[in-house]
Amino acid sequence: MAGPTRSQSGDGSAAHPHQPAQPSTLRQSHTPSSRPVSYVDEDDEDEDEYDMAAAAAASSSSPDRRVSEGTPLLITSSAHPGECDHGTFSPRASTPMGAQELENHIDRMQGSDDWKSWLKQRMRTKKMGDSSELAQRAGVSNDTIMYLSYYIPCLTWMRQYKLSYLQGDIVAAITMASFYLPMALSLAANLAHVSPLNGLYSFVFNPFIYAILGSSSQMVVGPEAAGSLLVGSVVKSSIDAGGLDDNDLVHTQIAGVVAGIAGAMVFIAGLARLGFLDSVLSRPFLRGFISAIGFVIAVDQLIPELGLGKLADESGVGHSSSVEKIAFILEHWEDVHRPTFAVAGGSFLVIMFFREMKRRLEPRYPSVVFVPDRFVVVVASAILCWYFEWDKSGVEILGAVKSATGTLFAFRWPFTLAHMRHIRSAMSTSFLIALLGFFESSVAAKSLGNSSIPGMELSANREMIALGVANVVGSCFMSLPAFGGYGRSKVNKTTGGKTPMSSIVLSLISLLSVLFLLPYFYFLPKPVLCSMISVVAWSLIEEAPHDIKFFVKIRGWTELGLMASIFLSTIFYSLTLGMALGVGISLLMVIKHSTRPRIQILGRIPGTQLFENAEAVPHNLEFVEGCLIVKIPEPLTFANTGELKSRLRRLELYGTPSAHPALPRIRSQDANRNIIFDIHGVTSIDGSGTQVLEELVRSYRDRGVRVFFSRMPGGKSHPVWRLMVSSGIVALCGESHFVRNVEEALQMTEYEESIEDGRSSVA
C-alpha cells in the first residue's frame, strides 16, 4: 500500500519527493564476491527513462518546434492542457479537416443517394483512414484504385507494362515450358497416380490465376514432387481402404479433392492473416522430411526403371514402405528388364551430365541456361522409341493421353457430399501439402529479391490468398496442387522474365499443348519420365549433407535427432507417420518456447543507476538489501503465465531461476520485503495473464510484501493500465506504487520503511 503523503519543505527535499527526512542504512548495496567481472553491454532498453516524455512535452510547447524522427506522423491536439474533469461539457479538440467541413461531409452523406460512397465509407478501416490523412498531408492522391491495386496486384503491373518486357517474358515462358511440361507429365503419372493430363492442368490454370492475384512478380507456380507424392499416398490409401473402383476417374477425383482442400486451407489462412505460419516448421524438420521424400521418390521410381512394375503390382509391394521395396528389388534383381533399365539409366546420366555442365558453365556463360536439355531428352527419346520400336521390346510407353472424364477441362466442384469420404481421408495430408507448399513459395518469393515492378510489395497474407484461389480453381478441373518453386522461379528470372506476364504465356503454351500436342506424347518412354523424377529426387537429397555437417559443427544434437527421427520413420514406415511425427515435434518445440516465461532478476551496476540481468551478464553487480527486482521483458498471455508463479517463487528462494528446486532456501524472507517489477516489455496482456498477475500481487500483499511496478508502457492511456485498474491490481498496490523507473521505486521503498521505523520507535 502507498505510504502517507509527505510535506515538502524548503530544505531541498522537493527534488526527491520520496527521499526520507533521515536517511537510513536499509538500502546499503552489497556486492557478491562470487561474480566475475565482465564487459558485456546490455541492450539499451534498460536505460530508457521517462525523461523523454518531459522533453517531448517541452518541445511541443515551444513555438519553434523542430521536426525529428521522434515527431509523430499523426498529430492530435488536446482540447486543453492537463487532465480533463469537465465530463460531458468538456471542450473538444478540433478535427484535422475542420468542424465546418466535417459537418458538410456528414450532411452530404446523409442526404445523398450515392450508395457507392456510402459503401466505401463503411468499408474503410482505421488503417485506411490514417493513410487517407497522411495522403492529404503529403498531397498524394487517395483514390479507391490505389487500395484495389494492393489487393489485386495485376492492376499495378498491367498499368506499368512495357513492350520491352514482352520478349523476355515470352522467352522465359518457352524455356520453362520445355523444362517443366514433361516434368508435369512425370509427376502426375509416376507420383500422383493420375492421368498425365492432370499434371498439365496445373500449368494451365494455376500460373494464370497467380499472375492476377500474386504479389511476387517473378515467381511461377506449378506442381512439385513432394506435393505430388503426397497426393499419390492419399490415392493409394483411399483405394486400399476399399469401397472404391481402382480407375483413373476415381484417382483424378481424389486428386482434385486434395488440391481443393489444400487450396481452401491456404485461402482461409490468408483471410485470417496467418502469413506467419511459414515460421512454424523448423529447418531441421523441413530438411529431414524433404530428404525422406527424396529417398522415397528415388526408391519408388527405381522399380519401374528396372522394369519390375508389373511384378511389384502382383506381389502388392507397391503400397509398402521404402525398406520393403528395397528388399523386393534385391530379391528380384535377376528379373530386371534390361532394355528398360538401359533407357532409364541412359536418360538419367544424360540429364545429370547436362545439369552439372550448366551449373559449372553458367557463371562464365549465362546464356547456357537457355539450353532445354530435358526437352531435348524427351523429344529424342520419343523419336528413338518410335524409330527403333522400343515398345515391342517390352519398354513401356506413355501411350494415348486421355482425360479420365472423357472430355477436356471437365468442371467438377470438389466440395460436394459425394466426395465427403475423400475429404475425410485427405484432410490431414492436404494440410501438410498446404503448409509445405506455402513454405516453399515463401522461400522462393523471398529469394527472388525485390520486385522489378514499382509498387508490388511481397505480402505473405496476399500470397496465401493468391495460392489458395489458384489451387481451388485448379481443383475444379482435377489438377495437381501447385505452389511456387525456387528452381522454376529462378529459371524464369534468369531467362528474362520480369513480370507475371511470363506466367500467363506459360499458361497459354500449356493450353496449346493440351489441345494440340497430346498425340505427339504417344511414344514417350515411361522410363524416361521415371529418370526425370529421379533427378528431382537427387536434388531433394543432395542438400542434406551440408545441413548435417553444419549441425554437427555447432553440436546441434537436438536438430540432428529431429532430422533422423523424421527420416527413419518415413522410410521404415510411411509418409503419414513421418509427417505426423515431424509436425508434432515442431509444434511441441514452438509451444515449449512460447510458454517459458523469460523473467530476469536485475542488479545495479556499481556507481550508476542502471540495472542489468544478473544471469545473462555476470557483472560485479550490486543487489539492494530487502528488494527483489524482477524484469518481465515480454507480453503476458495465457501461454507464458502458467509457470510464472513457480519461477517467481524460485527467484524468491534462490535469487536465480536456474537453481534446482531440491535446494533448501538460500535467500531469507527479509530479502524479499519489496518486489519491484520492471514491466516495460509488457506491451500487452490478456485476461488469463491479468488474472495470474492479480493473484500474485494479492499473495504478496497478504504476506505484507510491498509491490511496485516501474516503467509502465504507454502510461495511463495504455490498455495494460486499464486492465490493471479494472482487475484491482492498482487498488491492491496503490497508484503511487506505479513509478517511472526502478530507481524511483527504490527511493519509495526506503521512504516507506523509514516511516514505518519511525512509527515503531514512537510506539
Side-chain angles (χ1 to χ4, degrees):
M1 56 184 288
T5 305
R6 191 166 168 237
S7 61
Q8 299 180 3
S9 59
D11 58 356
S13 63
H16 301 284
H18 303 299
Q19 183 175 355
Q22 296 181 354
S24 64
T25 60
L26 294 176
R27 291 297 167 267
Q28 294 178 353
S29 300
H30 63 279
T31 302
S33 59
S34 61
R35 293 188 175 271
V37 178
S38 175
Y39 296 97
V40 181
D41 293 335
E42 166 141 62
D43 296 338
D44 293 335
E45 182 183 1
D46 293 337
E47 302 178 10
D48 294 343
E49 301 293 344
Y50 281 80
D51 299 338
M52 298 286 293
S59 63
S60 62
S61 60
S62 61
D64 53 344
R65 181 175 56 192
R66 296 183 179 180
V67 179
S68 65
E69 291 89 346
T71 305
L73 294 176
L74 298 177
I75 304 175
T76 57
S77 59
S78 58
H80 57 77
E83 297 184 357
C84 177
D85 56 356
H86 292 82
T88 306
F89 302 99
S90 173
R92 303 301 180 192
S94 59
T95 62
M97 65 172 61
Q100 186 62 38
E101 185 179 352
L102 178 63
E103 291 178 4
N104 295 337
H105 180 71
I106 294 175
D107 292 339
R108 289 196 303 269
M109 289 300 300
Q110 291 177 346
S112 174
D113 293 332
D114 189 358
W115 61 272
K116 294 182 180 180
S117 179
W118 179 88
L119 182 62
K120 186 173 72 172
Q121 291 295 326
R122 296 302 187 275
M123 291 175 60
R124 279 191 178 275
T125 62
K126 181 180 184 298
K127 186 177 291 186
M128 291 174 65
D130 293 343
S131 302
S132 176
E133 184 178 343
L134 287 173
Q136 286 183 354
R137 292 180 180 273
V140 179
S141 61
N142 182 39
D143 51 357
T144 307
I145 194 66
M146 178 179 67
Y147 298 104
L148 194 61
S149 300
Y150 178 82
Y151 295 104
I152 306 178
C154 68
L155 299 178
T156 299
W157 67 264
M158 283 183 176
R159 289 186 297 172
Q160 304 180 43
Y161 195 81
K162 302 177 182 178
L163 289 179
S164 58
Y165 296 159
L166 187 59
Q167 180 181 358
D169 290 336
I170 293 178
V171 171
I174 295 175
T175 306
M176 287 187 294
S178 66
F179 287 168
Y180 294 104
L181 291 188
M183 185 69 65
L185 297 173
S186 304
L187 295 175
N190 297 333
L191 295 185
H193 304 291
V194 297
S195 170
L197 193 60
N198 298 89
L200 294 178
Y201 284 170
S202 300
F203 278 116
V204 173
F205 299 103
N206 297 60
F208 182 82
I209 300 298
Y210 181 82
I212 296 175
L213 300 176
S215 60
S216 179
S217 60
Q218 294 172 307
M219 190 174 75
V220 182
V221 300
E224 295 291 336
S228 302
L229 182 65
L230 292 173
V231 171
S233 68
V234 177
V235 172
K236 287 182 179 181
S237 61
S238 300
I239 298 300
D240 292 343
L244 295 175
D245 296 332
D246 192 359
N247 55 54
D248 289 341
L249 180 59
V250 174
H251 292 186
T252 53
Q253 288 177 349
I254 296 174
V257 169
V258 173
I261 297 175
M265 287 181 176
V266 176
F267 177 73
I268 293 173
L271 292 179
R273 306 183 66 82
L274 300 181
F276 60 88
L277 283 179
D278 62 341
S279 303
V280 172
L281 300 182
S282 62
R283 179 70 176 267
F285 164 77
L286 290 169
R287 180 51 54 206
F289 188 71
I290 291 176
S291 300
I293 285 179
F295 185 83
V296 171
I297 291 174
V299 174
D300 284 350
Q301 299 310 301
L302 193 58
I303 292 178
E305 286 173 350
L306 297 175
L308 301 175
K310 293 182 179 179
L311 190 60
D313 294 337
E314 294 175 358
S315 60
V317 77
H319 298 171
S320 304
S321 66
S322 298
V323 175
E324 294 173 336
K325 291 177 182 178
I326 293 176
F328 169 82
I329 292 172
L330 296 177
E331 182 180 353
H332 297 84
W333 183 255
E334 295 182 354
D335 300 324
V336 171
H337 189 257
R338 287 177 174 78
T340 300
F341 180 60
V343 173
S347 57
F348 177 82
L349 292 176
V350 170
I351 294 174
M352 289 297 294
F353 173 78
F354 276 110
R355 181 173 179 265
E356 187 64 25
M357 290 299 296
K358 289 171 71 173
R359 179 181 297 179
R360 294 175 180 268
L361 294 176
E362 186 177 355
R364 296 177 58 186
Y365 307 101
S367 59
V368 75
V369 73
F370 292 95
V371 177
D373 52 330
R374 299 181 191 182
F375 181 73
V376 171
V377 170
V378 168
V379 173
S381 63
I383 295 175
L384 291 174
C385 181
W386 165 74
Y387 185 79
F388 291 104
E389 297 181 344
W390 289 349
D391 55 322
K392 294 183 179 180
S393 301
V395 177
E396 293 188 37
I397 60 176
L398 188 61
V401 180
K402 297 180 180 179
S403 173
T405 59
T407 58
L408 295 177
F409 305 114
F411 181 88
R412 289 179 181 267
W413 181 247
F415 307 108
T416 61
L417 293 178
H419 296 158
M420 187 56 66
R421 52 183 175 179
H422 304 328
I423 294 175
R424 286 194 295 267
S425 61
M427 189 65 70
S428 59
T429 306
S430 298
F431 172 75
L432 184 62
I433 292 174
L435 203 57
L436 287 175
F438 171 65
F439 182 85
E440 188 172 2
S441 302
S442 178
V443 171
K446 293 176 182 177
S447 301
L448 292 172
N450 296 329
S451 173
S452 58
I453 305 297
M456 287 190 66
E457 299 293 338
L458 186 65
S459 169
N461 296 315
R462 287 184 292 151
E463 284 292 289
M464 278 187 157
I465 293 176
L467 294 171
V469 173
N471 279 282
V472 170
V473 172
S475 69
C476 296
F477 301 91
M478 292 167 288
S479 68
L480 297 181
F483 293 91
Y486 175 68
R488 185 169 49 246
S489 303
K490 185 179 179 181
V491 170
N492 178 44
K493 182 178 181 178
T494 55
T495 53
K498 293 183 178 298
T499 70
M501 182 60 73
S502 60
S503 295
I504 296 178
V505 176
L506 176 61
S507 295
L508 294 177
I509 296 175
S510 304
L511 178 62
L512 295 176
S513 300
V514 171
L515 294 177
F516 303 107
L517 299 182
L518 290 182
Y520 298 97
F521 296 142
Y522 185 90
F523 287 100
L524 181 60
K526 284 188 175 181
V528 174
L529 297 179
C530 295
S531 64
M532 296 176 67
I533 300 298
S534 297
V535 173
V536 175
W538 177 273
S539 66
L540 296 178
I541 300 174
E542 66 179 350
E543 294 184 8
H546 175 269
D547 286 355
I548 293 174
K549 181 180 178 181
F550 175 79
F551 288 123
V552 169
K553 180 180 179 181
I554 65 172
R555 300 182 182 273
W557 309 125
T558 303
E559 289 78 9
L560 288 173
L562 177 61
M563 292 175 61
S565 61
I566 295 172
F567 183 84
L568 294 176
S569 62
T570 301
I571 66 174
F572 277 97
Y573 192 76
S574 66
L575 278 173
T576 305
L577 179 62
M579 168 187 66
L581 186 64
V583 173
I585 294 177
S586 296
L587 290 178
L588 286 177
M589 293 173 64
V590 171
I591 293 173
K592 179 182 177 182
H593 179 75
S594 61
T595 57
R596 186 178 181 87
R598 297 168 182 81
I599 58 176
Q600 306 167 3
I601 183 171
L602 300 182
R604 180 171 16 205
I605 300 177
T608 68
Q609 295 184 359
L610 303 179
F611 295 83
E612 293 188 352
N613 183 7
E615 295 294 326
V617 186
H619 280 182
N620 192 19
L621 300 179
E622 299 176 346
F623 291 89
V624 182
E625 180 187 354
C627 292
L628 179 64
I629 307 174
V630 179
K631 179 181 179 180
I632 305 178
E634 60 185 350
L636 293 178
T637 64
F638 71 96
N640 60 3
T641 53
E643 294 186 4
L644 187 59
K645 290 183 179 180
S646 61
R647 294 183 68 83
L648 278 174
R649 183 65 177 167
R650 196 172 298 181
L651 287 179
E652 295 178 39
L653 297 177
Y654 312 114
T656 173
S658 60
H660 195 279
L663 287 174
R665 186 184 188 110
I666 296 177
R667 284 176 61 95
S668 63
Q669 293 185 1
D670 192 59
N672 303 321
R673 298 191 305 270
N674 302 280
I675 305 292
I676 301 175
F677 289 105
D678 183 349
I679 59 172
H680 188 64
V682 186
T683 56
S684 63
I685 182 171
D686 63 4
S688 300
T690 306
Q691 187 178 20
V692 171
L693 190 60
E694 191 272 341
E695 292 173 355
L696 280 171
V697 173
R698 186 177 297 277
S699 173
Y700 285 134
R701 296 301 297 132
D702 291 342
R703 286 186 284 159
V705 178
R706 300 183 186 87
V707 181
F708 297 85
F709 290 92
S710 68
R711 301 207 303 165
M712 168 72 69
K716 294 185 178 181
S717 61
H718 200 274
V720 173
W721 171 260
R722 292 197 294 267
L723 281 174
M724 287 194 172
V725 172
S726 59
S727 63
I729 296 177
V730 176
L732 286 171
C733 302
E735 187 172 345
S736 61
H737 282 205
F738 286 79
V739 294
R740 293 179 299 175
N741 49 57
V742 175
E743 185 64 28
E744 186 175 345
L746 291 175
Q747 293 177 7
M748 285 197 66
T749 59
E750 185 174 356
Y751 167 68
E752 293 186 5
E753 290 197 358
S754 66
I755 294 297
E756 289 185 2
D757 290 344
R759 290 177 178 175
S760 60
S761 62
V762 171

